[in-house]
Amino acid sequence: METNKPVCRKARNRAFIAPTAVRDYSIRAAVKLCEYCPLKRRCALDALHSGDSLDGSVTSPANDVIAAGVVCVGDEATAEALAAVAGVDVPKYRVSSAR
C-alpha cells in the first residue's frame, strides 16, 4: 500500500462525498476504510477548516463528507471528533454576522 496516498482515493463509495445521499451500509463501509488510512490525521486536520470561506470571515469544519472516519455535518460535534483524531484542540470558529 502506498503510504502517501489516501485510502479513499480510488474508492467508488459515494458516501465519502455525500453521506446524506447514501444508505447506512455505504457510510459504515467508508468509515471502516478510513480506519486503515495512513493519512487519517492529515485528513482530520484538513477537514477541521474545509468549511472556511475564501476571505476567512467564516470558519467551520467539513460538512456532508466523510473525513478521517468522521461523518461531518459542519457542527461542534464534528469539530470535536476531527480534533480528537488529529490530536489537537478544537479550533475557535468564526461565523459571519448579518449585514
Side-chain angles (χ1 to χ4, degrees), residues 16-62:
F16 285 107
I17 58 170
T20 56
V22 299
R23 297 187 183 255
D24 287 345
Y25 64 84
S26 292
I27 295 170
R28 287 191 304 272
V31 169
K32 183 101 175 132
L33 195 58
C34 290
E35 288 180 23
Y36 305 102
C37 184
L39 299 178
K40 187 175 178 178
R41 182 175 185 275
R42 177 79 252 167
C43 183
L45 287 168
D46 290 345
L48 280 168
H49 286 286
S50 69
D52 293 4
S53 64
L54 291 175
D55 66 1
S57 63
V58 176
T59 59
S60 66

